[in-house]
Amino acid sequence: MKVLICGKGGSGKSTVSVLIAKNLKSRGYKVLLVDADESNSGLHCLAGCSSPVILIDSLGGKKGAKDKMIQAFSKESAGMMPEQKWRIRDIPDEYLASAHGISLLTVGKVHHLGEGCACMMGAVSKTFLSNLIVGKDEFVIADTEAGVEHFGRNVAQGCDMILDVVDPAFESFMLAEKIQDMCRDAKIPVFFILNKVEEQVREAMFRHIPREKVIAEIPKDRDIFMDSLEGRELGKELPEIESACEFIESLKRKQ
Ligand SMILES: Nc1ncnc2c1ncn2[C@@H]1O[C@H](COP(=O)(O)OP(=O)(O)O)[C@@H](O)[C@H]1O
Ligand SMILES: [Mg+2]
C-alpha cells in the first residue's frame, strides 16, 4: 500500500510519516519512506538516518533524471511485470539510505539560488510512485511538500491512500477541505490525523474536520518537539499512532 502524507507546512507531516513508518516496520512490514519534499531536509534526522542519498543528484541532476530512473529501476528480474514497473527490491542500494530496517528514498532538494523550478522533482516523484508495485508485506510512506502542489502535479494519483495531517490552525482546516475535494475527484480515499491536539482546541478541530474520517488525535508532545528541535531521531512511541496503523493495516487487508 502506498500512503501519501500531506498537509499544511509545520502541521507535522514529517513527524507523522516517521512515526507511522516505524510502527508499520515493528508490525513486520517492509517499509520504504519516500521524502518527496523539495525544500525541507530534516526527514532523515527524524528517521535516525545519517546520510541521505538524493536520487536526482545521484542520477546526475534534473536533466533526464526521469528517464535515467526508469532505466535504473526497471529490471527484467521483476518477472512477468510489464516494462517500466518496479518493486522496492529493484531499487539499487545506492539510491537508498536506511535506518532500523526502514529504507529512505529522497527524491530531490532545491540546493541553489536560481536553480529553476522544482517541477522535475514532482515529475520524478509521480513516476516513481505510480510505477512502483508494492507487495502484500510492504508499505510506502511518502512525505510531501506543504500544501497541494503534489496534487497539481498528480503525485497523489500514484497512491492508494491520502493522510492529511491537520494541526490546530484555520489554514489547516481550509486546506483539509481542498484536499477532500481533490481526493473525491481523484477517487483516492482520504483520512485525517489531528496533530498537536490540546483539550482547549479539540472541539474546534472537530467542527472543521469530519469526525468519521479522523484516524488519530496526536497530543501536543514535548518529547516529539524536543527531538525535532535537536535534530534527533524520534524516539517516542504513541498509542495514537499504534491505533492509526491498525486502521491503515485493516484498509490494506481490504485492498
Ligand atoms: N505532536 C506534536 N507535538 C509537539 N510538537 C510537534 C508535534 N508534531 C510535530 N511537532 C513539531 O512541529 C514542528 C513541525 O513538524 P514537522 O513534522 O516538521 O512538520 P511538517 O513536515 O508538516 O512541516 C516541529 O518542530 C515538530 O517537532
Ligand atoms: Mg516536513
Side-chain angles (χ1 to χ4, degrees):
M1 177 178 245
K2 294 179 255 185
V3 182
L4 191 84
I5 312 280
C6 61
K8 175 184 137 294
S11 63
K13 297 177 293 300
S14 299
T15 303
V16 167
S17 298
V18 167
L19 293 174
I20 286 183
K22 283 186 156 203
N23 188 284
L24 291 171
K25 174 71 202 164
S26 74
R27 285 164 188 267
Y29 291 100
K30 182 170 185 179
V31 179
L32 174 68
L33 185 59
V34 178
D35 183 353
D37 183 340
E38 298 122 20
S39 307
N40 299 304
S41 41
L43 185 70
H44 69 284
C45 299
L46 299 178
C49 200
S50 56
S51 54
V53 183
I54 299 181
L55 175 66
I56 287 181
D57 299 354
S58 304
L59 292 168
K62 287 193 230 172
K63 201 161 177 281
K66 202 169 99 175
D67 293 337
K68 286 184 207 151
M69 175 184 63
I70 290 171
Q71 278 164 23
F73 291 9
S74 309
K75 294 265 175 67
E76 280 183 23
S77 66
M80 307 298 288
M81 288 190 310
E83 244 183 288
Q84 302 192 350
K85 294 275 183 201
W86 44 76
R87 297 182 191 273
I88 296 175
R89 64 170 181 265
D90 293 322
I91 304 169
D93 285 346
E94 64 201 271
Y95 302 116
L96 298 171
S98 80
H100 314 299
I102 295 175
S103 301
L104 172 69
L105 183 136
T106 304
V107 177
K109 299 288 174 194
V110 174
H111 296 299
H112 307 293
L113 177 72
E115 71 168 59
C117 83
C119 297
M120 179 44 76
M121 296 173 195
V124 170
S125 295
K126 180 187 171 230
T127 306
F128 172 72
L129 287 170
S130 51
N131 290 18
L132 179 64
I133 293 177
V134 179
K136 275 201 163 84
D137 57 343
E138 295 174 338
F139 268 100
V140 174
I141 307 296
D143 178 31
T144 62
E145 182 94 29
V148 285
E149 183 99 23
H150 39 281
F151 284 91
R153 293 175 184 161
N154 264 336
V155 176
Q157 208 67 55
C159 295
D160 305 302
M161 175 188 185
I162 307 292
L163 274 185
D164 178 12
V165 180
V166 179
D167 66 343
F170 194 68
E171 286 289 351
S172 243
F173 304 153
M174 297 210 304
L175 187 63
E177 267 183 42
K178 205 182 244 183
I179 288 173
Q180 272 202 105
D181 290 346
M182 287 181 168
C183 287
R184 193 176 306 122
D185 292 346
K187 298 190 172 54
I188 306 174
V190 59
F191 295 92
F192 299 96
I193 291 195
L194 306 188
N195 192 25
K196 308 186 193 183
V197 180
E198 293 176 290
E199 202 44 49
Q200 61 269 36
V201 298
R202 193 169 173 269
E203 276 316 304
M205 295 180 90
F206 277 117
R207 273 202 302 280
H208 294 276
I209 308 297
R211 211 172 269 267
E212 69 283 2
K213 295 265 180 187
V214 173
I215 67 165
E217 295 174 47
I218 303 176
K220 190 168 183 180
D221 184 284
R222 190 173 160 77
D223 295 338
I224 290 180
F225 180 77
M226 289 311 292
D227 279 348
S228 146
L229 180 70
E230 300 291 349
R232 286 194 295 254
E233 177 183 353
L234 291 176
K236 192 105 178 188
E237 288 177 17
L238 297 166
E240 294 82 2
I241 290 289
E242 182 79 22
S243 48
C245 289
E246 261 166 38
F247 177 83
I248 295 168
E249 214 180 4
S250 74
L251 276 193
K252 182 188 175 76
R253 278 194 223 104
K254 287 186 201 150
Q255 256 191 331

